Amino acid sequence: MTKLSVNINKIATLRNSRGGNTPNVVQFAKDVQRFGAEGVTVHPRPDERHIKYQDTRDLKSEVYTEFNVEGNPIQSFMDLVLEVKPTQVTLVPDAVDALTSNAGWDTITHKSFLTEVISEFKSNGIRTSIFVDPELQMIEGAKATGTDRIELYTESFAHQYGLGDMKAIEPFTSAAELSNEIGLGVNAGHDLSLDNIKFFKDHIPGLLEVSIGHALVSESLYLGVENVVQMYLQKLK
Ligand SMILES: CC(=O)[C@@H](O)[C@H](O)COP(=O)(O)O
Ligand SMILES: NCC(=O)COP(=O)(O)O
């Protein structure tokens, strides 16, 4: 069964825009879990443009489903994750000034670095996932690092699907099939939405988790948070 992890970065974006504590990030995380979400995801970036390191600490005691913390494993991020010890850490190769996540890891070039980082997190009881493009070589490279899971970077699927190109799913299906064969768990995320999630899920064998934020928050502006969470859960059945 595919779990829905709600990425709450954009709630922090809205909160930070006025400098106060409205909307309250922790309350939003409690509410989406109450509405049925099976996880909460945050991406504390180095510039803290949205989720702050302190938010990640504050959320730890309030996330009773699965807590997924994403980021580039720079030292400050490593220290935060080892302090908070979330359910899962997802390693993302983002540049400090990236507008948003825009690429998966080159798991071959960075094999030794990723292997060392993953070993550190796993020895602290934290499940690991590596953000990758749906390239078979990168999937095999991810396996070699010892990671528990990969997260398929779904921006290219979402973009092409939105243009009517159904064949855009094919690399993702192949990547999931290989992952299943070699014992890698399959997560997915980035630009997934109510429009594309069912088609995506129906073509990805063994999909364990989707993390969705930007579209979910945007859709909630019109349809309401509880309604949107329930709509995602229905489409993921
Ligand atoms: C890794 C990924 O694709 C997203 O989880 C990322 O967290 C989005 O980051 P922004 O919310 O900063 O765009
Ligand atoms: N890992 C993807 C994620 O957490 C949310 O990405 P998006 O839905 O905000 O594009």
Side-chain angles (χ1 to χ4, degrees):
M1 199 269 266
T2 305
K3 292 187 175 183
L4 171 67
S5 185
V6 175
N7 183 311
I8 62 174
N9 293 351
K10 296 305 175 316
I11 304 304
T13 299
L14 183 56
R15 177 203 58 193
N16 294 355
S17 69
R18 189 55 70 87
N21 198 28
T22 303
N24 184 298
V25 163
V26 171
Q27 185 59 49
F28 189 87
K30 291 163 73 173
D31 288 339
V32 294
Q33 294 176 102
R34 181 164 53 87
F35 299 152
E38 295 119 332
V40 173
T41 290
V42 295
H43 192 144
R45 294 183 179 275
D47 61 10
E48 296 192 313
R49 65 187 72 167
H50 42 53
I51 290 289
K52 299 180 185 299
Y53 278 34
Q54 189 56 44
D55 291 322
T56 310
R57 298 185 184 101
D58 295 344
L59 283 161
K60 166 71 176 182
S61 59
E62 302 296 344
V63 178
Y64 54 85
T65 52
E66 292 205 342
F67 192 22
N68 177 38
V69 180
E70 300 183 330
N72 192 326
I74 60 177
Q75 194 57 54
S76 60
F77 178 82
M78 294 278 298
D79 294 343
L80 175 69
V81 173
L82 291 171
E83 174 192 344
V84 171
K85 290 189 175 53
T87 314
Q88 174 177 267
V89 60
T90 299
L91 307 182
V92 187
D94 282 352
V96 171
D97 60 352
L99 174 65
T100 185
S101 305
N102 55 18
W105 284 96
D106 179 337
T107 58
I108 296 168
T109 303
H110 299 291
K111 178 184 175 183
S112 57
F113 172 68
L114 289 169
T115 302
E116 184 182 336
V117 167
I118 283 159
S119 174
E120 175 86 15
F121 286 132
K122 288 179 73 169
S123 64
N124 280 274
I126 303 165
R127 187 175 73 212
T128 62
S129 181
I130 301 180
F131 198 61
V132 292
D133 295 302
E135 294 171 21
L136 301 188
Q137 271 193 322
M138 295 304 136
I139 305 296
E140 289 165 352
K143 179 65 178 178
T145 69
T147 188
D148 297 301
R149 298 189 183 182
I150 50 110
E151 175 174 339
L152 295 173
Y153 171 41
T154 51
E155 189 276 336
S156 62
F157 157 72
H159 178 73
Q160 288 303 114
Y161 183 84
L163 298 174
D165 175 12
M166 303 300 129
K167 293 176 69 68
I169 195 66
E170 292 174 2
F172 294 86
T173 304
S174 301
E177 288 169 344
L178 174 60
S179 299
N180 293 338
E181 282 168 24
I182 61 178
L184 271 179
V186 180
N187 294 347
H190 204 96
D191 286 340
L192 294 174
S193 70
L194 284 174
D195 290 338
N196 61 38
I197 189 64
K198 178 158 180 32
F199 181 85
F200 183 80
K201 194 260 183 198
D202 289 346
H203 291 81
I204 305 296
L207 182 61
L208 298 173
E209 173 192 292
V210 290
S211 43
I212 307 176
H214 191 85
L216 187 149
V217 172
S218 302
E219 291 151 352
S220 297
L221 295 175
Y222 293 92
L223 301 172
V225 180
E226 183 170 6
N227 190 26
V228 167
V229 169
Q230 290 294 320
M231 290 168 76
Y232 276 104
L233 293 173
Q234 188 62 33
K235 290 175 182 287
L236 289 168
K237 279 184 177 170

